[in-house]
Amino acid sequence: MATKSLARQRAMGQTFIYGVLALLALYYLTPLWVMITTSLKPLDEIYGGSFIGLPQTVTFEAWSKAWSGACIGTECTGLKPYFINSILMVVPAVLLSTGLGALNGYVLTKWRFRGANLVFGMMLFGCFLPYQAVILPMAQVLGKLGLSGTIPGLILVHTLYGICFTSLFFRNYFITIPDELTKAAQIDGAGFFRIFFSIMLPAALPIIVVSCIWQFTQVWNDFLFGVSFTSGSDSPITVALNNIVNVTTGRKQYNVDMASAMIAAIPTLLVYVTAGRYFVRGLTAGAVKG
Amino acid sequence: MATLDINRVRKSYGSMEVLKEVNISIEDGEFLVLLGPSGCGKSTLLNIIAGLEDITGGDVLIGNRVVNDLPPKDRDIAMVFQSYALYPTMTVRQNIEFGMKIRGISAEERAKATKAAAEMLQMTGLLDRKPSQLSGGQRQRVAMGRAIVRHPELFLFDEPLSNLDAKLRVDMRTEIKRLHQRLGATIVYVTHDQIEAMTLATKVAVMKDGIVQHFGTPQEVYDRPANTYVARFVGSPAMNILRGRLVASDGPVTVAFETSDGEALVSGVPLSPESAARFRDREVLVGIRPEHFTMDTAGAVPLTVDMVEPTGPDTLVVFSAGGADVVARLDPLAISVGTKARFGVKAEKIVLFDPETETRLD
Ligand SMILES: Nc1ncnc2c1ncn2[C@@H]1O[C@H](COP(=O)(O)OP(=O)(O)OP(=O)(O)O)[C@@H](O)[C@H]1O
Ligand SMILES: [Mg+2]
């Protein structure tokens, strides 16, 4: 009898936990639901009926308009060119910041020099610098370099800002890799870069993925740097999205707004869905390896 | 193969002196064991020989060539690390071939060398596995294989067996000894296990606090330890060191020490006439190995048995002398606690130490 009631208690406990989880999931998914359904409704249906319900007629018109027809200021090009801008910005920024972070982490752990800890401390400090604090000096630097208002300028900004984080990731990962490994490689005759490319990087796959996901989301979703350092046709997608949603004349086109927001969010979603497994694994890798 | 000379080598980290004037010389083909407790500077010395650490003072010579400023890869050495340090993302084959690849050896030659090493170490079936798929003993073999294919002048081993279980450790010990005989290589081997040192070495350097306490053959170190530290560190159970006195006499050298049951007088202890004169009628430390006691009803040492520990091949008998426990290792015998008995001592094996400096008296 005792075991029976225990089993029942456990079953009840589980039901409760799953119930709460389901509720929370619902809560988080509701906005997504609203976004998707709204983006598939014709404008009249939105103004005529409820926000939450299923669309009565499904149409992809809003999506195609958001992609290639919506007006941003006076240009009616849709999000497409800005989406491409963002891709052109995010790919080099992610690769550069991850690569440099890996190199930093490698030097900070395996080729320790006098003052290495101080340098690392200063890099950590960079992680806590608010965006707003660097905007003005950064604008001046970009101006001096002749990169004001350009995509390469944005790449530079994001790479610099990202290095603090990626260096931290790689430093904390590489410190769990025994120094004897680099010593063995030195005796085998490998030099600085040979050890980096043949031994450290292959062993760092999980943290490379973490760094790429982190940087991708940061750079792709960034609005402040984008709006501060670019304008017009050089803007990244977040800035364009803001312009579409804010600047409309006449009836507010909720379906186009929702579709635009979805388009802007899809790349980060995709990255998480495909590489999310590695993200969790990479974040816990140091702990398990010991 | 090569000789190795370590001349007045010093190493400091900041203000901390880790090695203080280390002097060691070995011949071609010798097996040098660096023996000492944790933190005494063994790994540091090995890393200096390898070129992985800068030298603060002194010279390292491999094959009569000063190598102080040569990078590790140009010293013609191979090293096996305590953690094995196998490259985790490479297969066993790639691990073994990595160094050869860097040195630009052709694929054909590499495959041949790898095959030979794999056969020698009986790991042909493991070549395509990753290190994570190997047991501790197998990883150890791979690390050795990686060293062997290099055909170095000098092998360096840093506690290669300390991560293995007791049984495997004994097996691999034999394996390493065989390897040494087969390759005829010069080897420097770090351990804190005195049994490993005794079984493997042709020369032992016992270290403590960055100083070589005794450098010599294992037998010398065991029979005539340079000081009481070495005497206690080498041998298990350790050498008994008793407070005693050099008896004034003009005949053979005689020492006296107290046991719980009276005074023991042992004569015929080896000692130079100078030392005998210097310590005449003075206190000395008397070092007696457990196995140098004998069962002898007319022996010199009166005692009461405090404890009996049969080990199988022999029996350890513990008694008290001058307030300290003394261990005697005797052939298996039936003796019970509390028995009053007399043991003999092989006087010619006794070692005497200066009670102040604790160094051995000649
Ligand atoms: N990079 C370093 N900076 C400062 N001190 C160090 C450094 N490396 C080693 N030491 C110190 O030097 C001393 C000797 O270290 P070493 O690693 O040579 O000891 P060991 O004899 O190999 O010990 P173990 O048996 O534990 O491996 C230790 O006191 C250690 O703390
Ligand atoms: Mg060590």
Side-chain angles (χ1 to χ4, degrees):
Chain A
M1 241 179 69
T3 56
K4 206 169 172 185
S5 76
L6 209 72
R8 224 174 64 194
Q9 255 182 13
R10 189 175 302 157
M12 269 170 61
Q14 276 192 349
T15 317
F16 178 73
I17 289 171
Y18 281 115
V20 170
L21 286 178
L23 269 176
L24 283 175
L26 204 67
Y27 178 74
Y28 275 99
L29 284 175
T30 312
L32 186 66
W33 168 255
V34 172
M35 281 177 77
I36 293 174
T37 52
T38 308
S39 73
L40 296 175
K41 290 174 189 172
L43 203 54
D44 289 335
E45 192 183 321
I46 298 170
Y47 276 93
S50 86
F51 240 62
I52 308 274
L54 275 169
Q56 270 138 24
T57 39
V58 174
T59 163
F60 288 96
E61 213 170 290
W63 282 77
S64 87
K65 195 167 174 202
W67 180 245
S68 56
C71 297
I72 296 156
T74 53
E75 305 269 332
C76 293
T77 54
L79 283 176
K80 191 171 150 193
Y82 304 96
F83 190 92
I84 293 170
N85 281 351
S86 272
I87 297 272
L88 289 179
M89 165 187 74
V90 82
V91 172
V94 167
L95 293 182
L96 278 174
S97 57
T98 299
L100 289 173
L103 205 56
N104 281 344
Y106 169 55
V107 171
L108 284 171
T109 52
K110 302 299 170 219
W111 299 86
R112 301 186 58 79
F113 50 94
R114 205 174 276 273
N117 277 336
L118 188 71
V119 171
F120 179 58
M122 275 159 37
M123 283 188 162
L124 265 186
F125 184 68
C127 295
F128 298 109
L129 267 187
Y131 277 26
Q132 290 81 347
V134 300
I135 285 181
L136 276 181
M138 192 65 90
Q140 284 182 325
V141 171
L142 289 179
K144 289 228 167 73
L145 293 175
L147 292 174
S148 295
T150 64
I151 290 177
L154 265 192
I155 293 172
L156 179 68
V157 173
H158 282 300
T159 303
L160 287 181
Y161 208 85
I163 282 176
C164 304
F165 293 92
T166 55
S167 300
L168 172 70
F169 292 152
F170 279 97
R171 186 261 180 198
N172 286 351
Y173 190 83
F174 284 149
I175 207 143
T176 66
I177 293 182
D179 292 348
E180 289 191 346
L181 221 54
T182 34
K183 291 186 179 172
Q186 271 176 276
I187 287 179
D188 267 341
F192 181 87
F193 283 107
R194 184 75 181 233
I195 296 175
F196 181 61
F197 286 113
S198 297
I199 301 195
M200 302 304 275
L201 273 194
L205 194 62
I207 206 70
I208 294 176
V209 173
V210 167
S211 173
C212 284
I213 294 183
W214 173 269
Q215 277 305 99
F216 188 92
T217 18
Q218 291 295 310
V219 176
W220 185 272
N221 289 341
D222 164 70
F223 176 72
L224 191 58
F225 285 156
V227 81
S228 310
F229 300 134
T230 58
S231 58
S233 61
D234 286 325
S235 304
I237 194 164
T238 43
V239 175
L241 174 65
N242 178 64
N243 294 345
I244 285 186
V245 174
N246 279 343
V247 188
T248 42
T249 46
R251 269 206 310 188
K252 199 156 178 50
Q253 305 197 350
Y254 286 111
N255 52 356
V256 177
D257 292 355
M258 294 300 179
S260 306
M262 289 293 298
I263 289 172
I266 277 173
T268 37
L269 275 178
L270 270 182
V271 165
Y272 268 108
V273 169
T274 52
R277 260 178 331 131
Y278 294 97
F279 192 67
V280 176
R281 214 186 287 166
L283 284 183
T284 55
V288 184
K289 254 182 119 167
Chain B
M1 307 303 138
T3 58
L4 171 70
D5 297 280
I6 298 165
N7 294 338
R8 306 165 67 93
V9 162
R10 286 180 299 110
K11 174 71 184 176
S12 312
Y13 290 111
S15 62
M16 190 176 68
E17 261 201 311
V18 175
L19 295 176
K20 305 160 192 165
E21 279 241 357
V22 173
N23 287 296
I24 292 172
S25 275
I26 54 170
E27 297 298 314
D28 186 16
E30 282 210 274
F31 196 125
L32 166 69
V33 171
L34 303 176
L35 175 67
S38 194
C40 71
K42 309 180 295 287
S43 297
T44 306
L45 182 55
L46 201 68
N47 285 335
I48 284 177
I49 299 172
L52 295 167
E53 294 273 3
D54 290 333
I55 203 163
T56 309
D59 291 317
V60 174
L61 289 82
I62 298 176
N64 297 320
R65 177 174 62 138
V66 177
V67 295
N68 291 12
D69 297 322
L70 281 186
K73 67 178 167 64
D74 297 330
R75 295 194 180 193
D76 209 355
I77 50 165
M79 188 155 170
V80 176
F81 293 88
Q82 182 169 359
S83 67
Y84 314 136
L86 302 180
Y87 310 128
T89 55
M90 301 185 195
T91 63
V92 169
R93 188 191 308 279
Q94 289 166 331
N95 261 282
I96 294 176
E97 292 193 357
F98 185 65
M100 292 191 278
K101 227 179 205 164
I102 290 177
R103 274 174 281 131
I105 291 169
S106 74
E108 199 181 332
E109 295 266 318
R110 293 204 302 263
K112 217 164 81 188
T114 306
K115 186 157 171 279
E119 272 162 14
M120 182 185 239
L121 296 166
Q122 293 156 30
M123 55 174 192
T124 322
L126 307 177
L127 286 177
D128 293 313
R129 293 207 205 158
K130 289 273 177 71
S132 58
Q133 299 164 318
L134 300 177
S135 72
Q138 290 168 334
R139 282 178 210 187
Q140 216 278 335
R141 270 166 214 272
V142 177
M144 300 241 281
R146 198 167 62 178
I148 288 173
V149 294
R150 168 113 214 217
H151 294 297
E153 294 210 36
L154 185 63
F155 280 97
L156 306 173
F157 291 83
D158 193 354
E159 308 207 29
L161 305 185
S162 63
N163 284 336
L164 305 181
D165 65 40
K167 164 93 174 61
L168 201 53
R169 195 144 67 197
V170 175
D171 291 348
M172 289 308 293
R173 200 167 74 200
T174 318
E175 197 85 2
I176 290 177
K177 185 147 193 167
R178 190 170 299 141
L179 195 76
H180 176 234
Q181 282 159 2
R182 184 153 9 150
L183 299 175
T186 313
I187 295 181
V188 182
Y189 184 105
V190 164
T191 182
H192 57 254
D193 180 340
Q194 50 101 12
I195 308 222
E196 260 172 43
M198 296 303 286
T199 48
L200 291 172
T202 61
K203 288 279 170 58
V204 182
V206 183
M207 295 178 64
K208 181 193 167 203
D209 298 336
I211 297 173
V212 174
Q213 306 284 324
H214 194 163
F215 173 62
T217 67
Q219 204 62 49
E220 278 164 18
V221 169
Y222 188 81
D223 289 342
R224 312 276 300 155
N227 55 39
T228 56
Y229 179 80
V230 176
R232 288 196 179 99
F233 197 82
V234 177
S236 172
M239 179 183 264
N240 301 293
I241 295 174
L242 311 170
R243 298 206 156 272
R245 193 169 46 80
L246 205 62
V247 177
S249 89
D250 296 322
V253 175
T254 303
V255 292
F257 57 90
E258 295 289 329
T259 73
S260 56
D261 291 68
E263 185 172 65
L265 273 175
V266 184
S267 52
V269 178
L271 193 66
S272 67
E274 301 80 59
S275 297
R278 189 151 75 91
F279 281 87
R280 191 183 168 90
D281 210 18
R282 278 176 56 191
E283 197 175 287
V284 288
L285 295 176
V286 184
I288 309 172
R289 293 262 174 220
E291 63 273 22
H292 294 150
F293 286 102
T294 55
M295 196 64 198
D296 181 357
T297 47
V301 187
L303 59 105
T304 305
V305 176
D306 281 344
M307 215 174 357
V308 181
E309 298 174 349
T311 65
D314 37 39
T315 298
L316 304 180
V317 175
V318 181
F319 62 94
S320 147
D325 278 344
V326 178
V327 181
R329 184 206 293 264
L330 301 162
D331 287 339
L333 80 172
I335 192 166
S336 53
V337 172
T339 311
K340 286 193 183 303
R342 292 188 86 87
F343 287 170
V345 182
K346 291 179 183 159
E348 73 280 9
K349 299 284 192 185
I350 288 181
V351 186
L352 300 180
F353 301 95
D354 183 326
E356 270 148 37
T357 62
E358 306 223 335
T359 53
R360 192 192 66 232
L361 300 174
D362 289 322

